[in-house]
Amino acid sequence: MAMLGPDGRVLAANPALGRLLGSDPEVLAGAAADHFPALALALDALAAAARQTAAAAGAPLPDTRPVRPVRRLKHADGHTVWAEISLTALAPSGVRLLTLTDVGERRELRARLRHLQEHDPVTRLPNRTLFFERLAAALTESATGRIGLCYLDLDGFKAVNDTLGHRLGDRLLRAVGVRLARSGDGSHLVARLGGDEFVLLVESSSGTEELTRLAGAVLDELQRPFDINGHRLAVSASIGVVERECAGTTVTGLMQAASTTLYWAKADGRARWTLFDPERNAHRMTRQSLSATLRPAVERGEFLLEYQPIVSLADNTLRGAEALVRWQHPQYGRLGPDRFIGLAEESGAIVPLGRWALAEACRQASRWRRLYPDPPLYVSVNVAVRQVWDSDLVRDVADVLEETGLPSGLLQLELTESAVMGSAGRPLQALQELSDMGVRIAIDDFGTGYSNLAYLSRLPVRGLKLDGAFVRGFRTARHLNPADETIVTALVQLAHSLGLTVTAECVEGAAQAERLKRIGCDTGQGWYYSRPMPADRMIQLIAGTLRRR
């Protein structure tokens, strides 16, 4: 502490002030305060703080706290002293008390605590907290207006932890952090986000090439084995690379893109980097959007059925039609089953969707029967194996047939070969009950799945539908594949010996139809006969076919 007179001279100073500044208190006494750089700086700091407080007095909520700035002063021997400064009036005469409080240890403790809060204890790298602070700042302060991330995950690290223990795993992570820090030119921030996930932040990117070059350098660094406690360990990494302009980019959006791209790198085979692809991401987002709206779309009536005729190869008469589901999406337009059936099976939405398709197809087939009873035409409906497991398919079929009045013999259910072959327990029991009801069971895409021919004889199957891959080889005599004809001939003979009918899919020309007829296929469907059509046009086709007869 020091007492200052009205003229700014030091009237007295205590020994503590002398020790803090490295000056003799007796030398300080009687001299002008501004003759001592440390005291002059302290007084200037007080004056500046006071001006700021006065300026804030006109604000709605002025700062009324005492003026006690913290400034860096210099000891006489040159080392830095951090001090909190205050000035208090002692008497009307103008005598004031200048107090300097050493806050160096406090600042150092705060710095250590902040370092602990912002750094990972295992690798000593910046942690999530510091990384996201730097990322947010970089989006507004990038010198180039661009930013880049390499978001990586170690491949197979869990096996190291499980077999060698977490202590050795931590040492491996520390060694990985060291190599990441020296990848590239070392100007990037390396952080550990948790587990075996790391991120490299390029705050002022020069472009995609810089980020991909950095990702390549990381892979090169990690491909060399690690020697940890006598263990020679080999690890690799999958890296998602994102580089873009800062303008219009958010922290959340950038991290979502990085996470998605890391997932692609793993899906593409691991031990590689993958660059963010907006088109691939748009496809992923579309898949997510479709998956999330499938069930509500069934309730809103966004689905419809089209019908593709099934024709006798012997005399070209119409025998039935396959019902094919379409999604009239309000945003993406009309979607074929290849865009959403897989998603419906994954999410379980295939159950309500399949139930709706079954009911709608049977209603249409019942209408055909009422309008044109001779010859009776059957409708073929695709069924996913999940419908058998997750719903009571037998009851659903029985209820629909009763509601629509369609005879069970005019309904055919198609299941894929992979779903039917090897069926046991509930699926096999359901198929048997449906067959006992008179419903036809057919195997779709036959010849491309398990082809367990010995099991085929034990299934309640009435028909096979040959996969189009075989039929396409029959297009023209010039491109005839003898192997395809041999295989199809054998399959048809096998099916007939088991009492099964055979339908050829993807018939696109007269030569195909004639060759399939000669081999012995019973029925065919494809663009040669007709493309899938709405229900009303199907009725017109039935009427026209009967008139030609």
Side-chain angles (χ1 to χ4, degrees):
M1 293 182 289
M3 293 180 62
L4 305 181
D7 58 356
R9 289 182 176 274
V10 178
L11 301 179
N14 67 355
L17 183 62
R19 290 191 298 273
L20 183 66
L21 301 180
S23 301
D24 188 341
E26 295 182 359
V27 175
L28 291 173
D34 56 8
H35 287 177
F36 300 94
L39 293 180
L41 182 60
L43 292 173
D44 288 345
L46 281 168
R51 287 193 297 271
Q52 291 177 359
T53 301
L61 294 172
D63 189 349
T64 58
R65 293 174 297 176
V67 178
R68 291 185 176 179
V70 174
R71 291 294 184 271
R72 182 173 59 186
L73 309 177
K74 279 196 176 295
H75 191 275
D77 64 7
H79 78 262
T80 296
V81 175
W82 285 94
E84 182 182 82
I85 308 164
S86 66
L87 191 63
T88 306
L90 297 180
S93 61
V95 176
R96 296 166 296 169
L97 178 64
L98 176 66
T99 303
L100 276 64
T101 303
D102 187 351
V103 295
E105 289 187 2
R106 188 194 311 169
R107 285 178 58 86
E108 185 179 345
L109 177 60
R110 286 178 177 172
R112 287 202 301 267
L113 290 174
R114 181 170 177 80
H115 186 275
L116 290 174
Q117 291 174 344
E118 295 180 338
H119 288 75
D120 172 52
V122 174
T123 62
R124 301 184 179 88
L125 293 173
N127 61 13
R128 294 179 66 90
T129 301
L130 181 54
F131 166 73
F132 281 108
E133 285 182 7
R134 291 281 295 272
L135 177 58
L139 286 174
T140 58
E141 300 170 5
S142 171
T144 61
R146 302 189 69 85
I147 195 167
L149 291 179
C150 289
Y151 187 21
L152 67 96
D153 178 281
L154 299 182
D155 302 322
F157 176 74
K158 184 177 183 298
V160 175
N161 266 349
D162 291 345
T163 57
L164 301 177
H166 288 269
R167 179 173 297 181
L168 191 139
D170 286 349
R171 292 182 179 179
L172 175 58
L173 290 174
R174 190 176 302 122
V176 168
V178 171
R179 292 197 188 179
L180 293 179
R182 69 189 185 202
S183 300
D185 59 9
S187 63
H188 49 272
L189 172 73
V190 180
R192 181 190 178 204
L193 299 189
D196 58 346
E197 292 183 359
F198 296 83
V199 64
L200 289 77
L201 169 64
V202 179
E203 297 175 270
S204 296
S205 168
S206 61
T208 299
E209 184 178 348
E210 179 183 3
L211 268 295
T212 56
R213 188 167 56 246
L214 176 59
V218 168
L219 292 178
D220 290 342
E221 282 285 351
L222 297 182
Q223 73 177 357
R224 292 182 290 106
F226 291 83
D227 291 314
I228 309 291
N229 285 16
H231 296 275
R232 192 169 179 82
L233 304 176
V235 297
S236 62
S238 300
I239 308 175
V241 180
V242 182
E243 198 280 339
R244 60 179 56 172
E245 291 185 354
C246 295
T249 298
T250 64
V251 170
T252 301
L254 193 61
M255 291 307 298
Q256 285 178 341
S259 179
T260 297
T261 313
L262 171 59
Y263 171 81
W264 293 343
K266 284 193 172 294
D268 291 344
R270 303 189 176 192
R272 68 188 64 212
W273 59 262
T274 299
L275 184 65
F276 180 77
D277 181 353
E279 292 186 5
R280 186 174 180 180
N281 186 59
H283 177 68
R284 180 186 69 90
M285 297 298 290
T286 300
R287 279 179 56 87
Q288 290 180 345
S289 173
L290 294 177
S291 181
T293 56
L294 265 166
R295 287 180 183 269
V298 176
E299 299 172 359
R300 290 192 297 264
E302 294 178 5
F303 291 92
L304 54 89
L305 292 182
E306 290 186 336
Y307 301 87
Q308 186 168 41
I310 300 174
V311 177
S312 169
L313 291 172
D315 56 10
N316 286 332
T317 57
L318 184 63
R319 293 295 183 84
E322 179 180 358
L324 301 169
V325 65
R326 307 285 187 258
W327 186 355
Q328 192 61 45
H329 196 281
Q331 180 179 355
Y332 303 117
R334 180 167 294 194
L335 304 178
D338 58 309
R339 294 288 302 277
F340 60 85
I341 289 297
L343 296 175
E345 291 179 346
E346 293 173 10
S347 65
I350 193 67
V351 173
L353 177 58
R355 188 180 292 121
W356 170 84
L358 173 68
E360 180 64 20
C362 288
R363 274 193 291 270
Q364 288 298 330
S366 183
R367 184 183 178 195
W368 304 340
R369 180 169 173 266
R370 288 195 305 271
L371 294 174
Y372 305 102
D374 186 34
L377 303 177
Y378 69 88
V379 66
S380 191
V381 181
N382 290 279
V383 175
V385 70
R386 188 162 182 177
Q387 290 177 253
V388 183
W389 281 108
D390 294 359
S391 67
D392 191 342
L393 181 62
V394 176
R395 178 176 292 276
D396 288 345
V397 170
D399 290 346
V400 166
L401 293 178
E402 181 179 359
E403 176 187 341
T404 61
L406 183 69
S408 59
L410 297 184
L411 172 62
Q412 176 173 278
L413 299 181
E414 296 185 20
L415 290 90
T416 61
E417 181 179 351
S418 58
V420 174
M421 292 301 185
S423 294
R426 182 175 178 180
L428 181 57
Q429 180 182 352
L431 295 181
Q432 188 61 60
E433 291 181 25
L434 290 167
S435 179
D436 293 343
M437 289 169 52
V439 175
R440 294 167 52 92
I441 306 296
I443 299 179
D444 195 14
D445 299 331
F446 187 79
T448 61
Y450 295 95
S451 297
N452 188 340
L453 302 179
Y455 196 77
L456 181 62
S457 63
R458 298 195 294 271
L459 290 171
V461 173
R462 299 269 296 279
L464 302 180
K465 299 190 73 174
L466 294 182
D467 186 80
F470 295 118
V471 178
R472 291 188 186 98
F474 287 62
R475 286 180 180 172
T476 63
R478 179 184 300 177
H479 299 103
L480 177 64
N481 186 339
D484 283 343
E485 183 160 1
T486 300
I487 293 172
V488 172
T489 301
L491 291 176
V492 171
Q493 291 175 352
L494 170 67
H496 286 169
S497 67
L498 294 174
L500 308 179
T501 61
V502 179
T503 300
E505 298 181 298
C506 301
V507 180
E508 298 178 0
Q512 278 178 301
E514 182 59 33
R515 192 168 289 114
L516 291 165
K517 172 185 175 181
R518 188 175 65 249
I519 289 174
C521 286
D522 301 286
T523 53
Q525 68 181 97
W527 287 5
Y528 172 61
Y529 300 108
S530 174
R531 296 192 179 205
M533 62 184 69
D536 289 344
R537 285 186 54 197
M538 183 66 194
I539 290 179
Q540 294 174 8
L541 176 67
I542 297 171
T545 301
L546 292 179
R547 281 197 295 270
R548 287 196 297 273
R549 291 178 62 196

